[in-house]
Amino acid sequence: MNKRKYAGEEVDVVIVGAGAAGGVLAKELSEAGMSVVVLDAGPFRDPQKDFASDELAMKRLGWQDTRIVDGSDPLTMGHNNSGRGIGGGTVHFTAVFLRFHDADFKAKTIDGVADDWPIEYADLEPYYARIEKEIAVSGPKHFPWGNYQGPYPYPEREPLSPNAYMFMNGCEKLGITSSVAPLAILSAPFEGRPPCINRGFCNQGCMPDAKFSTLIVHIPKAIKAGAEVLADCMVTQVLMGKDGRATGVAFVHDGRTYEQKAKVVIVSAFVVESPRLLLNSANAQFPDGLANSSGMVGKSIMVHSSQDVYAKFNEEIRLYKGTPVLATTQEFYRTDPRNGFVRGYTLHSHGARPVEFASGISKAQGGPVWGERFRETMLNYNHYGRVTLVGEVLPNPANRVTLTDEKDEYGVPRAKVTFGYGDNDRKLIDHAVGNMSAILEAAGGKVEYVIPDTAHMMGGCRMGNDPESSVVNSYGQTHDIPNLFVCDASMFVTSGAGNPTNTVMSLALRTADYIKEKAKKLELSGSV
Ligand SMILES: Cc1cc2nc3c(=O)[nH]c(=O)nc-3n(C[C@H](O)[C@H](O)[C@H](O)COP(=O)(O)OP(=O)(O)OC[C@H]3O[C@@H](n4cnc5c(N)ncnc54)[C@H](O)[C@@H]3O)c2cc1C
C-alpha cells in the first residue's frame, strides 16, 4: 500500500464500505472536519477506463465471492444483489429513485403485520429532499403517488424507450395511471456531468457519468475534504477494547493484515456483509457477535419480489434501448382489502439486454427453456417487451445470514443466506403477475414468459427503539456498543414496495447529522 495519510493514527471515524450509505457518510463527516478513513473490499474504478459496454465482463461489478444459499426460495447472489468496490451497488444499480410512503413505516399499525419503524416518513422527508437535490434527480413535474408528488429537481427524462411507451399505453388502456420514473440519472448537465444519452448500459456501469453513483459524486467530495479512501481492503473484524467500546477494525490488503484505529466505527457493508462482519467479530465479552444481545444480527433479511413478465409483440420493442426503467406505476402500492393479502407493489417498464434476456428466459416458470424454443425466442429478441415487479416482502426472522464452517481467502467464515417467501408474499406475487400480464396484453403483446426473481436485499441489522428486538436505533447506533454504528440497507425494518436506495442514502444523511451533533460527546474533532 502506498504511504498512507492516517497510517498508525487513530482517526475520528472509520467507515467499512464505500457504497450508497458509506459514500454519503464519508462526504458529510469529512466535510464537517472529522478525520475519516473509508475501507472498501473492492477496487477504485475509473468509469472511462474500466466500464465496458459488455454485459458479461461487467458482472465483475457485483460481489462474486461464494455465498451458501438455502431456504425454500434460495436467492441468487452476485451481480443482481450487491456491489463490490468504491461506489458499492450504486455503480451498477438501475437508478430508479423513489421515496418510501408514510404507510411503509407503519406496517404493524396499519395492517397488523411485521413492525413499525421507530421513525416516520416526516422524519426522513428533509433528508429525501436534500439527497434528491444533491444529485439532481430527474422526474416528472407531478408524481401521482406517495407523500411527495414532485416537482423533482431536474425535468423528467425524454424521449422514453419503446418499452416505456408500450407500458404506458397498456396502462392507459386499462385505466391504470402511470408516470415517467424519478431517476438518479441526469436529464440536463449538472456539476460538470453530461445528461444521459440513452446508451442503456446503466447496469454495466455508466461510462459517461450521467448516472449518479457515490463513486463519482460523494467519494471525490469526501477525498477533497480530506478523507482517506482505501480500495481493495477487506475488513475482517471490528476490534474491541476491554471497556466494551470499539477501537477500530482489522483489514486485509494484498495478503497483509493491518489495523485502523478509530473513535467511531461505522459498518456500511450491505445486507450480507454487515451481519457477517459483526458475527465474525465475536469475542469473550460478546460471544454471539457484536451488537447481538437481541439475537437479531443477520435475522429478518428481506428482498423485493421481482418477477419479470415478457410478452411478444408484432412490432419491434428493442428492449436494449434507453435506460432500463423509464415508466412506472404505483397504483397497487397500498393494501386493498379485496386482494386477500396486505401491502402492495410497484410495476416498472424494464429493458433487458440480450444476455440478461437469455438467462432470464432460461429460468422461466414452467420449466427451463432451451434448444429450438430458446433459439427461436432469441432470434425474436427485438419483439419482446417486459414489465418488472418491485413487491413488498414481509420480514421473517427465519430469513437470515449466518456463518458457515467454510472459510474464504481472508480466513472469514463464508456467509449462508437463507430465504423463503411467506404466504402473503406469494399471494402478492400472483396478483402482480396478473396485472403485469394484463398491461402487456392490453398493449398488444402475447405473454410468453414469467421469470421468478428477486431484487434489493434489505434488513439483517434492523433498527428499533427496543434493544431486545433490534440491533440499532434509528440513527444506526448499536444498542450494545455506543461508538459502533451500522448504517446501510441492513437497518430496514420492512421492505416497502419501492426501490430502496433513496431511503438508504437519506438514513445515512440523518446518521451523519446525528454523529456531527454528538461529535463532542463521542470526542470527535468535527467542527459542528
Ligand atoms: C443490479 C442492481 C440494480 C439495482 N437497482 C436499483 C434501483 O434502480 N433503485 C434503487 O433504489 N436501488 C437499486 N439497487 C439496490 C442498491 O444498489 C442498494 O440498495 C444500495 O447500493 C445499498 O446501499 P448500501 O450502502 O447498503 O450497500 P452497497 O452500496 O452495496 O455498499 C456496500 C459496500 O461495502 C463493501 N464491503 C462489503 N463488505 C466489506 C468488508 N468486509 N470490508 C470492506 N468493504 C466491504 C462493498 O464492496 C460495497 O462497496 C440495485 C441493486 C442492484 C445490484
Side-chain angles (χ1 to χ4, degrees):
M1 199 177 310
N2 291 334
K3 193 167 171 352
R4 289 185 46 207
K5 187 172 159 194
Y6 289 120
E9 272 178 55
E10 179 186 57
V11 292
D12 287 325
V13 184
V14 64
I15 302 171
V16 183
V24 170
L25 289 157
K27 171 187 173 291
E28 290 297 315
L29 299 179
S30 53
E31 284 183 349
M34 294 175 198
S35 51
V36 175
V37 168
V38 188
L39 300 163
D40 199 284
F44 207 138
R45 299 183 179 93
D46 174 345
Q48 277 73 52
K49 285 202 204 119
D50 298 326
F51 295 165
S53 304
D54 178 334
E55 275 190 278
L56 284 178
M58 289 296 104
K59 282 205 183 288
R60 64 171 177 251
L61 299 177
W63 190 284
Q64 301 294 359
D65 282 15
T66 303
R67 287 155 166 170
I68 319 288
V69 291
D70 71 354
S72 58
D73 302 281
L75 300 176
T76 306
M77 293 284 137
H79 185 89
N80 193 37
N81 254 306
S82 34
R84 186 184 180 110
I86 310 294
T90 63
V91 169
H92 68 296
F93 85 147
T94 311
V96 178
F97 220 69
L98 297 168
R99 296 185 187 196
F100 273 13
H101 298 191
D102 52 5
D104 290 326
F105 299 89
K106 293 180 175 301
K108 179 96 180 168
T109 303
I110 297 175
D111 292 308
V113 293
D115 216 342
D116 290 349
W117 292 48
I119 51 171
E120 302 194 354
Y121 174 83
D123 295 306
L124 269 196
E125 185 163 49
Y127 296 99
Y128 279 135
R130 269 168 67 187
I131 291 285
E132 285 161 2
K133 194 162 168 228
E134 184 177 31
I135 63 171
V137 171
S138 62
K141 278 206 187 78
H142 175 72
F143 188 67
W145 312 277
N147 305 68
Y148 181 69
Q149 306 206 322
Y152 282 87
Y154 264 35
E156 68 188 24
R157 295 274 317 287
E158 54 90 27
L160 303 186
S161 62
N163 192 54
Y165 285 123
M166 174 282 293
F167 175 83
M168 294 178 105
N169 178 24
C171 285
E172 193 181 337
K173 292 221 162 105
L174 297 173
I176 299 169
T177 305
S178 66
S179 165
V180 178
L183 296 170
I185 300 176
L186 295 178
S187 56
F190 179 69
E191 292 187 342
R193 291 164 46 212
C196 177
I197 49 168
N198 269 320
R199 289 172 66 255
F201 284 95
C202 309
N203 298 130
Q204 285 70 40
C206 177
M207 201 188 280
D209 286 346
K211 188 187 84 167
F212 146 83
S213 70
T214 53
L215 168 69
I216 60 162
V217 175
H218 293 81
I219 291 295
K221 289 179 182 169
I223 292 172
K224 197 165 166 223
E228 186 168 71
V229 179
L230 303 175
D232 302 308
C233 293
M234 173 75 180
V235 175
T236 51
Q237 270 197 318
V238 175
L239 304 171
M240 295 295 297
K242 288 202 175 70
D243 59 356
R245 291 172 70 85
T247 57
V249 296
F251 64 95
V252 178
H253 175 77
D254 245 352
R256 275 189 59 190
T257 299
Y258 301 80
E259 286 187 6
Q260 176 63 58
K261 296 205 167 5
K263 292 178 182 140
V264 169
V265 175
I266 310 181
V267 177
S268 300
F270 197 55
V271 172
V272 178
E273 297 305 318
S274 287
R276 182 183 179 213
L277 183 56
L278 296 182
L279 295 172
N280 190 47
S281 302
N283 60 21
Q285 192 181 357
F286 299 100
D288 299 324
L290 301 186
N292 199 18
S293 62
S294 62
M296 286 303 289
V297 171
K299 286 193 182 155
S300 293
I301 57 161
M302 297 162 284
V303 287
H304 286 131
S305 46
S306 190
Q307 265 60 8
D308 295 309
V309 181
Y310 285 101
K312 192 168 160 202
F313 290 79
N314 287 331
E315 68 275 21
E316 288 189 340
I317 302 284
R318 294 185 180 261
L319 276 173
Y320 60 85
K321 282 193 168 186
T323 48
V325 173
L326 280 160
T328 191
T329 181
Q330 293 197 322
E331 282 295 282
F332 311 101
Y333 202 92
R334 290 204 169 209
T335 298
D336 181 338
R338 293 169 300 181
N339 287 345
F341 61 89
V342 293
R343 317 302 291 169
Y345 54 90
T346 298
L347 300 180
H348 297 311
S349 70
H350 206 307
R353 308 200 76 81
V355 174
E356 186 188 0
F357 179 65
S359 61
I361 58 168
S362 71
K363 330 180 270 220
Q365 221 163 273
V369 178
W370 60 289
E372 190 51 35
R373 182 160 178 229
F374 186 74
R375 187 171 175 275
E376 190 63 27
T377 303
M378 288 311 295
L379 285 171
N380 284 311
Y381 163 75
N382 283 342
H383 289 268
Y384 282 87
R386 175 203 199 189
V387 178
T388 293
L389 165 67
V390 177
E392 178 152 358
V393 167
L394 295 177
N396 171 0
N399 291 334
R400 62 188 296 201
V401 174
T402 46
L403 300 183
T404 61
D405 295 332
E406 197 180 315
K407 302 223 166 132
D408 69 5
E409 76 255 43
Y410 308 101
V412 179
R414 291 197 192 282
K416 182 163 85 172
V417 182
T418 306
F419 180 77
Y421 286 122
D423 268 3
N424 194 76
D425 307 330
R426 290 186 200 283
K427 285 182 189 153
L428 183 152
I429 292 169
D430 287 347
H431 191 269
V433 168
N435 273 326
M436 293 153 84
S437 307
I439 291 167
L440 286 158
E441 289 191 352
K446 182 174 170 296
V447 170
E448 289 198 356
Y449 300 108
V450 177
I451 324 287
D453 204 356
T454 63
H456 314 144
M457 293 186 85
M458 292 153 283
C461 293
R462 61 152 289 184
M463 61 161 86
N465 290 328
D466 181 359
E468 296 208 345
S469 58
S470 59
V471 179
V472 296
N473 66 20
S474 71
Y475 299 102
Q477 187 172 28
T478 59
H479 293 302
D480 299 347
I481 302 165
N483 68 336
L484 173 64
F485 288 70
V486 181
C487 182
D488 57 17
S490 65
M491 295 164 78
F492 282 37
V493 178
T494 55
S495 72
N499 308 51
T501 305
N502 197 358
T503 304
V504 172
M505 293 174 68
S506 299
L507 288 170
L509 200 50
R510 187 167 174 271
T511 293
D513 275 4
Y514 175 78
I515 293 176
K516 287 189 238 174
E517 200 186 294
K518 298 275 174 212
K520 228 177 171 169
K521 209 167 159 214
L522 292 162
E523 293 171 13
L524 308 176
S525 55
S527 55
V528 195

